[in-house]
Amino acid sequence: MEYARLQSIHVHPVKAFRSLSLQEVVVEPWGPAGDRRWMLIDDGGKVVTQRKQPRLALAAAELLPGGGLRLSAPGTAPLTVPVPRAGGTVPVQIFRDKIEALPAEGEAAHAWCSALLGADVRLVHLDDPATRRPVNPRYAQPGETVSFADGFPLLLTTTASLDALNSLIARGEHADEGPLPMNRFRPNLVVSGTEPWAEDRWSRVAVGEVVLRVAKPCGRCVVTTTDQGTADRGTEPLYSLGRHRRIDGKLVFGQNLIPLGRGTVRVGDPVRIIE
């Protein structure tokens, strides 16, 4: 697979906000630097995502030096949010995991995010990704951790598999919804130069100087039906994935990865399939 290349890199500074494309990124043990270190919680401390709040697709977060954010969204004034100083954490729940996180300082960020959604939400920061949240032990080695990503440090997709999926959509009952862009799947690493669905057979891959273990296929949810430019929802790709890509009861697109070391990956890096 020496012809495979890293086509694009994406991070999501705030979980569920719009993705940010980069030319290079440092891969840390818990994921790409700056990826999903912030998230929103509701008044009960539970994570807020596009599953129930598709309008989050319209919000953007620019990474600032030191890990702070510049938040922006249509019709709202931008807001700069610093990394909170070490202090009292609050309990948060991200799906099945209950961990501690630092709330954004002051009330400005909470007010900005609450106004965006028309709901009472708060912005929190993962201050210690090395210890706070272990990866599901069913798929992890001892000591492996993850940020506020759904469950694994990185998500990889391939352009060939997207082309194949779009071909299925074009021949299906909801052809008018396609072709879909890659941002529907919110990956970190997008690889070109493979055969369709080749990633299903990988167990270990090197991207540039970083070696990663394939943990499991990524089961997809309603977020993939959300247009990331308008926040409107449709039927695809879940309809076509349900007909053609149902694996172990999940609708699958992409692979979840766990890095085996730290290093920098760059757009254009070779992608080598180790096993």
Side-chain angles (χ1 to χ4, degrees):
M1 289 282 183
E2 64 274 9
Y3 53 85
R5 291 282 185 265
L6 183 58
Q7 177 170 292
S8 60
I9 299 168
H10 309 274
V11 298
H12 309 77
V14 179
K15 183 177 180 65
F17 278 32
R18 183 174 298 176
S19 66
L20 178 66
S21 297
L22 303 175
Q23 288 300 301
E24 64 178 59
V25 71
V26 174
V27 175
E28 300 171 320
W30 43 85
D35 186 58
R36 297 174 171 99
R37 291 286 298 277
W38 299 79
M39 74 175 185
L40 298 181
I41 57 172
D42 63 17
D43 55 6
K46 293 183 178 180
V47 62
V48 177
T49 74
Q50 288 187 35
R51 290 167 175 82
K52 293 185 177 180
Q53 289 283 4
R55 184 170 168 77
L56 286 171
L58 305 181
E62 176 188 352
L63 283 169
L64 300 178
L69 302 172
R70 184 177 185 271
L71 306 180
S72 61
T76 63
L79 178 70
T80 298
V81 182
V83 173
R85 295 184 294 270
T89 60
V90 296
V92 303
Q93 182 170 350
I94 176 167
F95 309 124
R96 296 180 180 180
D97 296 333
K98 295 181 179 180
I99 62 173
E100 296 290 319
L102 281 175
E105 293 179 355
E107 291 300 317
H110 310 310
W112 191 96
C113 295
S114 296
L116 174 71
L117 298 182
D120 184 17
V121 297
R122 299 181 69 78
L123 182 65
V124 297
H125 177 69
L126 184 62
D127 59 317
D128 187 5
T131 65
R132 293 279 188 215
R133 187 181 176 215
V135 176
N136 185 334
R138 181 178 175 186
Y139 304 100
Q141 300 297 320
E144 290 179 335
T145 61
V146 62
S147 65
F148 286 143
D150 278 4
F152 296 89
L154 294 102
L155 174 63
L156 178 148
T157 60
T158 68
T159 57
S161 295
L162 179 61
D163 291 343
L165 176 58
N166 276 325
S167 294
L168 295 172
I169 292 172
R171 298 195 299 269
E173 296 181 19
H174 306 282
D176 58 318
E177 293 188 26
L180 300 182
M182 190 65 85
N183 66 9
R184 288 290 187 95
F185 302 94
R186 302 178 63 78
N188 297 116
L189 307 178
V190 179
V191 174
S192 62
T194 71
E195 295 297 320
W197 316 120
E199 62 273 22
D200 291 351
R201 303 186 295 274
W202 302 347
S203 58
R204 194 169 298 222
V205 60
V207 181
E209 63 186 38
V210 180
V211 177
L212 307 109
R213 186 176 77 252
V214 179
K216 66 181 291 290
C218 185
R220 311 314 306 219
C221 70
V222 69
V223 172
T224 60
T225 69
T226 308
D227 186 315
Q228 296 296 297
T230 66
D232 295 330
R233 282 213 166 126
T235 303
E236 294 290 4
L238 293 186
Y239 179 83
S240 292
L241 290 176
R243 290 174 63 91
H244 302 282
R245 291 284 296 169
R246 190 182 294 272
I247 301 175
D248 295 332
K250 301 290 186 180
L251 310 187
V252 169
F253 188 89
Q255 296 288 334
N256 292 300
L257 308 179
I258 299 175
L260 300 182
R262 185 189 299 259
T264 300
V265 298
R266 299 173 176 86
V267 170
D269 274 352
V271 176
R272 182 167 55 92
I273 312 312
I274 299 173
E275 56 181 307

